[in-house]
Amino acid sequence: MLITDDFLPVPVPESLTATYLVPMVGLPKVGARTAVRALAGRLAEPVHGLATQMLDSPLMSVDTRPVAEFPALPPDLLTAFGASQAQLDRLAAATHLVVVQAEYRPGWPPAHEWAARAVAAAVAESAGGDVVDVFGLQFLDPATALRSLPDDQGRIRLVDWVLVPYSSDAEGLWFTTKGLRRFGLLELQTQGVPDHLTRAWGAVLTGAARRLLRAWTDGLAGDEVPAFVQLPVLATVTGHDIAVAYGNPEQHGATAPVLLRLELDPATDPDADSFLSLRPPPGHPGPDGRYFAAACATLFDGIAPDVRYARPGDAMSRAIATARAGLDDVRARFLAGRLPAESQLVVKYGLPGDEGPEYVWAGVTSWDAPERIVGTSASDAGTDPTVRIGAPVVVEAADVVDWAVLGAAGVVEGGWTQAVLDSGEPPAGRSSDADGPPA
């Protein structure tokens, strides 16, 4: 990771705290220790033993409190981070909250996070409820929370612990991470990212977070917690970093690395957060956005972190943009039962392949979380043998490039990319839908 001898001293907090909530109607019928014991054999070590030990130590507390004693959680932010209406309804109906808190020193493993999440998931599973990650303002069903914990080789997916929200301003997109402070590290940010790199730069920032987190925890490996950890001002990010952060180390790793410069951006408001900003390396000519675009082209050479358009502004690009702009509305109509009677909602999404993305259709069966669609495959995929007609699939909304409402006579609404294909323009990738959306 080290490129020069120039280091940036980053302050280390004395201790870290994790907080998880389990909303309930009434008091819990199963205690936390009993619930954790029920996970024996299902939860990899050392996490199961860690949770058990911390439950019996002053490092963890499990309290049940009336909802009124806890500050209200903001429903708009919960929704923004993926809460479904059903989850918000269960939170509103709850009379009590089981509050799981754990404290530990900075370093690896992050015992406070792993143990607290495991205990909260165990309690929620025993009650048939939800887990609320207070730091990330996210709802987690117990199965998802347990899957995010380390496997028997100690591996995690960083995307289960670190989010990458973004917003738009006059300079472009502003990306930040939300989750590195769980581990004591300042959050990352990048400003001035071109609009068309929405998904690609989110992946780059996640890979950078993985690389810097390794350097951070290496600096905390001693017996004593230091006051500062020296992080390199110039660091590399590789395709392998991105793949590992997403839990797919086999997907790629042969791409050339890119350099990023780390800068400390201290908060001027004592109640605000400081950031570590990622910038182009010294000597890069032109605006930062030009370098970010070149970095994405390097890191994703031969793979598709996002839909690849043949030309900016071409017909396929416009078709995909039109479809994606209508996703929120069609989801709302689907959930409210306001689609035409006896119709079916289908979505088209990309599967990665050696020759570029392959696009397949799936019928939507549920869409509780905005970012995740559950359905059944409407076609056989050539790139993924598990994707077969009628097989259950989970589709990330970010991967959707088109949607359609199907009636008895065919497409009632949508299918914009198919109209482009029918016009004879070559698609930006292979497709398994030569005959259009499934009837």
Side-chain angles (χ1 to χ4, degrees), residues 129-406:
D130 305 301
V131 176
V132 180
D133 171 13
V134 173
F135 181 91
L137 282 177
Q138 273 192 301
F139 272 92
L140 302 170
D141 63 79
T144 299
L146 293 172
R147 280 197 302 270
S148 71
L149 295 167
D151 61 16
D152 53 8
Q153 297 183 48
R155 298 172 301 189
I156 62 168
R157 298 191 328 152
L158 192 60
V159 291
D160 292 330
W161 298 88
V162 177
L163 306 174
V164 185
Y166 64 90
S167 58
S168 181
D169 59 27
E171 303 300 321
L173 297 177
W174 174 34
F175 282 80
T176 61
T177 60
K178 185 175 177 60
L180 289 177
R181 283 195 295 112
R182 300 178 189 273
F183 312 106
L185 181 59
L186 297 178
E187 303 291 356
L188 306 181
Q189 70 171 359
T190 315
Q191 295 175 291
V193 178
D195 291 348
H196 70 281
L197 298 180
T198 301
R199 191 172 176 211
W201 194 255
V204 173
L205 202 57
T206 304
R210 182 257 177 184
R211 178 60 71 103
L212 289 169
L213 185 58
R214 282 194 64 181
W216 175 254
T217 54
D218 287 348
L220 296 171
D223 293 334
E224 299 294 329
V225 177
F228 295 88
V229 166
Q230 303 282 350
L231 294 181
V233 170
L234 283 180
T236 59
V237 178
T238 67
H240 182 70
D241 291 317
I242 297 171
V244 171
Y246 281 82
N248 298 306
E250 72 285 353
Q251 279 195 356
H252 67 295
T255 57
V258 299
L259 293 179
L260 292 170
R261 182 171 91 251
L262 201 63
E263 294 182 350
L264 179 61
D265 185 11
T268 55
D269 183 341
D271 295 325
D273 293 328
S274 298
F275 285 95
L276 293 172
S277 295
L278 292 178
R279 300 283 310 281
H284 168 70
D288 289 0
R290 184 181 303 167
Y291 184 83
F292 300 149
C296 289
T298 297
L299 288 171
F300 300 113
D301 181 28
I303 62 172
D306 208 344
V307 177
R308 295 193 171 212
Y309 305 134
R311 299 179 299 279
D314 65 8
M316 184 60 75
S317 173
R318 291 193 299 272
I320 293 170
T322 300
R324 290 188 58 79
L327 275 178
D328 289 344
D329 176 70
V330 77
R331 173 178 178 263
R333 288 187 285 145
F334 171 80
L335 294 175
R338 291 191 283 109
L339 295 178
E342 298 183 359
S343 67
Q344 181 186 21
L345 176 62
V346 295
V347 294
K348 182 181 182 181
Y349 65 103
L351 295 170
D354 294 338
E355 300 175 11
E358 177 186 12
Y359 297 109
V360 294
W361 290 91
V364 178
T365 56
S366 64
W367 198 348
D368 290 339
E371 76 280 1
R372 190 170 298 108
I373 304 166
V374 178
T376 56
S377 182
S379 54
D380 292 340
T383 55
D384 188 339
T386 66
V387 178
R388 291 291 177 263
I389 294 177
V393 292
V394 178
V395 179
E396 298 297 322
D399 294 333
V400 172
V401 298
D402 202 355
W403 56 268
V405 177
L406 305 180

